[in-house]
Amino acid sequence: MKKRIILGVSLVLVVVIALGILSPFLRPEYSGVNYNPADIQNKTDKTIKFNSNGKLKILHITDNHLNLNHNFDPTIWLVERACEKEKPDIVMITGDNVVNCENAEDTKKMINALMNIFDSRNIPVAVTFGNHDSEQGAMTREELMAYYNSFSCSVSVDDGVELSGCGTYNIPVLSSDGEKLKFNLWVFDSGDYDEEGRYSCVKPDQIEWYKQTSEKLKAENDGEIVNSLVFQHIIVGEIYDVLQKSDSWKSYSYKHLYNKEEYYMFDPDRVNYGTIRETPCPGYENYGQFDAMVEKGDVLAMFSGHDHTNAFAVEHEGIDIVNSLSTRYISLFHSTQCGYRVIEVDENDTSTYETRVARIFDIYDFETVKEEKKNGDKATYMMALEFAFKGKFKKFATDVYGEFIESVTGRQVTYPD
């Protein structure tokens, strides 16, 4: 074991040296920023249904934090690659999408680049917002939503003044033949901050809307509940009910966001998937969103972002509480905490689903590097080379460290995705 630890440390040093050898070779400006949604010739079919194979494939991306700086081009490329590789039936984007600039035109440029990816491929996309989307800059949530909806691929809904926030709605999913309601996707605006500057959450009026709409869907489905998934930015407070509490720090344990004397980590007696790398950050208040969904019995899982490096799922009272990685490129030091999530549902059994996480080193291997070199685009080739080279080292070092923690503490810190 000692040799493995030394090897892991050595590899980390090699990565540090490699960071000085390779640096991102970025295009001066991504062409998609000048995209005009009015010019698109293709028109996306906004009817969401199971595909011809009887499957619904969802691509969940979150926390892009797009900014016209070093993270812009690699993040856009990551989303493009995800669409090409996964070929999703719908994309769910759950907040902190772009940096809201003081100049609305700059904000729109980044939205252009993001939405062009889906619009040009006729992939329907549903958007909601996070705590950062409208906390600064020239555009309000309503203005942002109106601009997203100017793209033919958008299936997002501005819920108007009736509900708190902007972007709480549901997306019915029809059978593959288009004849019957088979599934449902809930989208919630979980807000930004409360009056004390703490994280917000889904409000009582949104919860009441959910209850009423759930009953309406049930009535339309001959009295049978319509199974569903939930997508929102901020995770529900019940996450702390399903993690194991400790009164002292342990490796891979994290302080409660609002009670600094409590530490939390995976509970080995529960069904766990994935990894926790930072403190879960729910809203300070809790108005009973999770309890309402337990009561109605139609939600299989709740998917959120917000906590960038967490990629886990834990089951609680029949509902999976799931966090997805940030899709934002930060640096290759964080390559194991950058990626996207795929969710698949089978119309023949909508009572369950399958999900997996794709990290940046899963996507950019050396075969991809060869492909990009043949394509002749130097900028893309250099990005692929950097991602593949450093990502492999980072993954190996992370795996070794995880095994070291388990061997010392006897506690598993990573569960199969």
Side-chain angles (χ1 to χ4, degrees):
M1 174 57 70
K2 186 175 181 181
K3 289 182 179 178
R4 295 181 67 185
I5 296 170
I6 294 173
L7 178 60
V9 173
S10 299
L11 286 171
V12 171
L13 292 174
V14 170
V15 173
V16 173
I17 295 170
L19 284 169
I21 298 172
L22 292 174
S23 59
F25 191 103
L26 306 184
R27 299 178 181 86
E29 183 177 18
Y30 181 79
S31 60
V33 299
N34 299 315
Y35 179 81
N36 183 353
D39 292 340
I40 188 69
Q41 299 300 312
N42 300 326
K43 297 296 180 182
T44 305
D45 185 354
K46 296 187 179 185
T47 302
I48 308 303
K49 60 183 181 180
F50 287 86
N51 61 36
S52 58
N53 295 322
K55 308 286 187 180
L56 178 70
K57 191 172 192 179
I58 302 166
L59 175 63
H60 182 203
I61 65 174
T62 189
D63 296 84
N64 293 305
H65 289 263
L66 280 177
N67 196 353
L68 293 174
N69 61 15
H70 68 281
N71 87 326
F72 181 79
D73 215 46
T75 302
I76 287 294
W77 195 53
L78 175 59
V79 177
E80 286 182 322
R81 188 77 181 177
C83 289
E84 288 298 316
K85 182 177 180 180
E86 305 295 348
K87 295 181 170 46
D89 299 303
I90 186 171
V91 175
M92 309 298 291
I93 304 179
T94 53
D96 288 1
N97 306 323
V98 305
V99 172
N100 194 356
C101 305
E102 295 301 325
N103 182 335
E105 292 308 309
D106 287 338
T107 304
K108 290 179 179 180
K109 279 185 176 183
M110 290 181 287
I111 296 175
N112 286 351
L114 180 63
M115 295 297 281
N116 175 39
I117 298 171
F118 316 116
D119 223 23
S120 61
R121 292 168 173 81
N122 288 321
I123 302 173
V125 57
V127 172
T128 192
F129 299 119
N131 52 298
H132 290 308
D133 286 284
S134 60
E135 69 180 347
Q136 61 184 17
M139 300 182 73
T140 65
R141 266 165 147 73
E142 289 73 21
E143 290 169 337
L144 288 167
M145 184 63 83
Y147 194 68
Y148 280 109
N149 281 337
S150 69
F151 293 83
S152 69
C153 62
S154 176
V155 295
S156 308
V157 176
D158 181 347
D159 44 36
V161 298
E162 290 79 11
L163 296 176
S164 298
C166 178
T168 295
Y169 54 98
N170 72 294
I171 303 171
V173 181
L174 303 181
S175 57
S176 53
D177 61 11
E179 297 297 323
K180 181 175 171 51
L181 175 63
K182 290 288 291 185
F183 202 68
N184 186 57
L185 303 175
W186 300 102
V187 182
F188 289 91
D189 180 356
S190 53
D192 45 25
Y193 308 95
D194 64 18
E195 294 179 354
E196 302 297 323
R198 301 165 302 201
Y199 289 124
S200 187
C201 64
V202 172
K203 301 296 194 300
D205 61 327
Q206 296 168 284
I207 298 169
E208 186 58 34
W209 167 84
Y210 156 73
K211 291 179 179 179
Q212 294 177 6
T213 308
S214 177
E215 286 299 317
K216 181 181 177 182
L217 291 173
K218 182 178 178 180
E220 293 174 358
N221 195 40
D222 300 325
E224 298 290 330
I225 62 171
V226 180
N227 290 320
S228 60
L229 302 174
V230 170
F231 293 87
Q232 62 190 57
H233 185 69
I234 297 176
I235 198 166
V236 291
E238 281 74 10
I239 183 57
Y240 284 117
D241 295 336
V242 295
L243 297 176
Q244 187 179 75
K245 185 173 79 169
S246 172
D247 293 329
S248 61
W249 179 85
K250 294 178 173 60
S251 296
Y252 284 98
S253 68
Y254 300 91
K255 287 183 179 181
H256 191 294
L257 182 62
Y258 304 110
N259 186 345
K260 303 302 183 182
E261 297 180 359
E262 296 177 356
Y263 294 84
Y264 288 82
M265 54 197 165
F266 273 134
D267 183 346
D269 294 329
R270 289 183 177 271
V271 178
N272 305 307
Y273 302 97
T275 55
I276 298 179
R277 306 269 186 202
E278 64 177 292
T279 297
C281 296
Y284 182 79
E285 301 290 348
N286 188 339
Y287 297 106
Q289 179 193 15
F290 185 85
D291 289 341
M293 291 173 177
V294 172
E295 175 190 336
K296 291 302 176 186
D298 58 350
V299 173
L300 306 178
M302 305 181 72
F303 295 88
S304 60
H306 189 46
D307 305 324
H308 295 180
T309 61
N310 287 342
F312 64 77
V314 289
E315 187 275 334
H316 184 47
E317 296 188 36
I319 298 176
D320 293 337
I321 302 175
V322 188
N323 207 104
S324 296
L325 289 172
S326 169
T327 312
R328 175 180 63 167
Y329 168 87
I330 304 175
S331 75
L332 264 297
F333 271 131
H334 296 87
S335 63
T336 57
Q337 286 86 50
C338 172
Y340 60 82
R341 182 179 291 278
V342 174
I343 307 136
E344 290 190 89
V345 183
D346 189 322
E347 72 173 326
N348 294 314
D349 183 7
T350 62
S351 66
T352 187
Y353 69 96
E354 295 182 355
T355 187
R356 58 182 166 82
V357 172
R359 291 171 171 81
I360 197 168
F361 55 72
D362 296 321
I363 306 161
Y364 304 114
D365 55 21
F366 287 104
E367 289 300 317
T368 304
V369 174
K370 292 178 183 178
E371 291 175 15
E372 297 301 342
K373 188 172 184 179
K374 288 180 180 178
N375 291 338
D377 184 289
K378 186 176 181 181
T380 304
Y381 164 67
M382 291 298 291
M383 277 197 292
L385 179 62
E386 181 173 359
F387 291 162
F389 180 74
K390 296 178 186 173
K392 295 302 180 187
F393 280 107
K394 177 63 177 175
K395 179 181 184 300
F396 186 82
T398 300
D399 290 346
V400 169
Y401 183 61
E403 290 179 14
F404 169 70
I405 296 299
E406 187 173 349
S407 68
V408 172
T409 66
R411 185 166 60 85
Q412 188 174 351
V413 296
T414 298
Y415 292 79
D417 288 319

